[in-house]
Amino acid sequence: MARAALSKRFQDVAFTTAVPFGDAGSDVLIDALADNLAKQYDAGARLFIPCGNTGEYYSLTDEERIEIVETHVAATGDEATIAGGVAGSLEEVKRLADAYEDAGADAIMVMHPDHTYLHRRGLANYYHRICDATDLGVVIYKRGPEVPREVLVDLSERENVVAVKFAVNDVKEFSQTVADAPGEVTWINGIAERYALSFAIEGAEGYTTGLGNFAPEATLALFDAVEDENWERARSIQRLLRPIEDLREEPGEGNALSAANNVPVIKHGMDLAGYTGGPVRDPLVDLSADDAARLEEHYETLQSAPLLEAA
C-alpha cells in the first residue's frame, strides 16, 4: 500500500488489543481472541495494534506474537489495518516483520527502546535499518526521552514511516516535534482518551485506546466528536471515561510502581462487558477486590450514560 494511503489509515482510533490467557496466564486463548476482535470490528474498530504494551508484549514468545497477529488478520474485515508490535535486536525485529507480512499485516510498531545504554546516532541507525529491512509500514513508538525529537524529525522523511505514536504527557514537546518534522506522517496521541482534545489541537490525527477493548462505542464516539470539532460533546465523553483511565494509572494494592493497574483494568473491563479478558501474566498482577469493585461502578456509570447515543 502506498505511504499516503497507509498513513491515512492511522488517522483513527488505534485499538491496542489485550490478549486473553488461560488459567494463571497459561496459553493464549486464540478462539476467544478472535471472538473479541470480531466484536470490536462489528462495533466500528478499524485500526488494531496487537502485541503492544496492552497486549503484554514482553510476556509473549515470538511464536505467540506471530499467532496473535495472524488471528487479528483473520478475525477482522477487509477494512481493518493491523500494525504488530516488534522489539529487540535487528534480527529479531526482521524475523517478526517478515512473519507479520506473511500473515497479512499492514505495518509494524517498533516498541519504545528498552536498552540500558543508548546513543542517539545508534538509535537512529537502528530505526533506519529496520526501515531498510521491511516493506511494511513502520510506526515509531515514543514513551520517553530515549527517543529524542531529532530522531523523529529525521525518521519522518523515511518512505515507510507512516505514523508516530507519541505517548508522553508533554503537549509542548509534541507540538514542537510536529512543527519541526518535514515528513508526511500521521501523529498519534499515544496516551489515550484523557488527552484526545489537547493533542488533536496540536496536530494529532488519531489516538490509541486500551479502554476500547471493552467499550469501543464510547471511544469511537469521542473520536467522532473530536473530528467534528464538537468540543462540548467531546469534553463530556472524555470526562465520562476519565475515572476508568485514572484507575488504570494507579499502582494497585501493595505496590509503589506506577500504572500497574493499566492492563488488569482493561482485562476485568472486558470480562464485565461480555468479552474474554482473563488473567494477566507475570510480572503483572490482577486487580485487587477493591479496585475491581471501583471499576464495576465506573463501568455501570458508563453503560447508563445517554452521552453515548448518536449526536
Side-chain angles (χ1 to χ4, degrees):
M1 186 182 299
R3 180 192 192 183
L6 183 54
S7 183
K8 187 173 178 59
R9 287 194 173 200
F10 284 85
Q11 298 172 13
D12 202 344
V13 183
F15 282 65
T16 57
T17 51
V19 177
F21 299 125
D23 292 343
S26 57
D27 295 343
V28 175
L29 304 181
I30 290 296
D31 289 344
L33 174 62
D35 185 60
N36 289 343
L37 295 167
K39 289 177 182 176
Q40 291 160 7
Y41 185 87
D42 288 345
R46 291 296 180 267
L47 175 57
F48 298 86
I49 301 182
C51 304
N53 286 328
T54 304
E56 299 180 72
Y57 181 91
Y58 293 104
S59 297
L60 300 171
T61 66
D62 278 355
E63 291 75 17
E64 288 173 329
R65 292 166 185 145
I66 293 165
E67 189 173 19
I68 287 164
V69 170
E70 291 171 343
T71 303
H72 277 69
V73 174
T76 57
D78 292 340
E79 296 178 2
T81 301
I82 312 296
V86 297
S89 70
L90 286 164
E91 285 303 312
E92 183 177 7
V93 169
K94 186 179 185 307
R95 284 196 302 271
L96 283 174
D98 287 347
Y100 292 175
E101 185 173 14
D102 290 344
D106 304 281
I108 56 173
M109 182 181 74
V110 185
M111 301 289 283
H112 188 80
D114 63 349
H115 201 294
T116 306
Y117 307 110
L118 289 171
H119 191 288
R120 188 176 75 186
R121 185 172 67 250
L123 183 64
N125 289 342
Y126 175 75
Y127 287 125
H128 279 295
R129 291 176 69 183
I130 289 172
C131 291
D132 291 339
T134 183
D135 292 326
L136 293 176
V138 176
V139 180
I140 308 298
Y141 186 6
K142 171 184 170 70
R143 280 186 58 85
E146 295 81 7
V147 182
R149 184 192 310 167
E150 295 83 357
V151 171
L152 295 177
V153 168
D154 174 41
L155 289 166
S156 74
E157 297 193 276
R158 285 295 308 232
E159 181 64 26
N160 54 343
V161 174
V162 294
V164 173
K165 178 181 174 180
F166 192 102
V168 181
N169 184 10
D170 187 344
V171 72
K172 177 182 176 182
E173 176 63 20
F174 174 75
S175 178
Q176 191 61 59
T177 305
V178 173
D180 289 352
E184 296 296 322
V185 302
T186 293
W187 295 92
I188 300 170
N189 156 29
I191 46 179
E193 288 84 2
R194 281 182 299 179
Y195 302 97
L197 282 73
S198 54
F199 274 76
I201 290 169
E202 296 295 343
E205 296 178 290
Y207 63 81
T208 57
T209 182
L211 184 150
N213 280 279
F214 65 90
E217 298 85 359
T219 193
L220 291 168
L222 173 61
F223 180 80
D224 287 344
V226 171
E227 193 172 45
D228 293 341
E229 298 185 9
N230 186 343
W231 304 120
E232 181 178 356
R233 176 170 167 78
R235 280 192 295 270
S236 296
I237 297 173
Q238 183 187 56
R239 289 167 184 157
L240 182 64
L241 301 179
R242 181 179 290 275
I244 298 175
E245 288 295 285
D246 288 345
L247 180 58
R248 292 180 70 196
E249 197 172 50
E250 293 182 14
E253 187 176 278
N255 177 47
L257 303 175
S258 64
N261 273 353
N262 190 299
V263 177
V265 162
I266 296 305
K267 288 198 159 183
H268 186 55
M270 293 174 73
D271 290 333
L272 293 174
Y275 296 85
T276 302
V280 295
R281 278 181 175 172
D282 294 333
L284 306 182
V285 299
D286 295 321
L287 289 183
S288 68
D290 286 347
D291 285 347
R294 290 166 61 201
L295 176 58
E296 289 157 17
E297 291 178 6
H298 297 327
Y299 180 70
E300 184 176 344
T301 299
L302 177 63
Q303 287 297 98
S304 62
L307 278 169
L308 302 185
E309 298 173 359

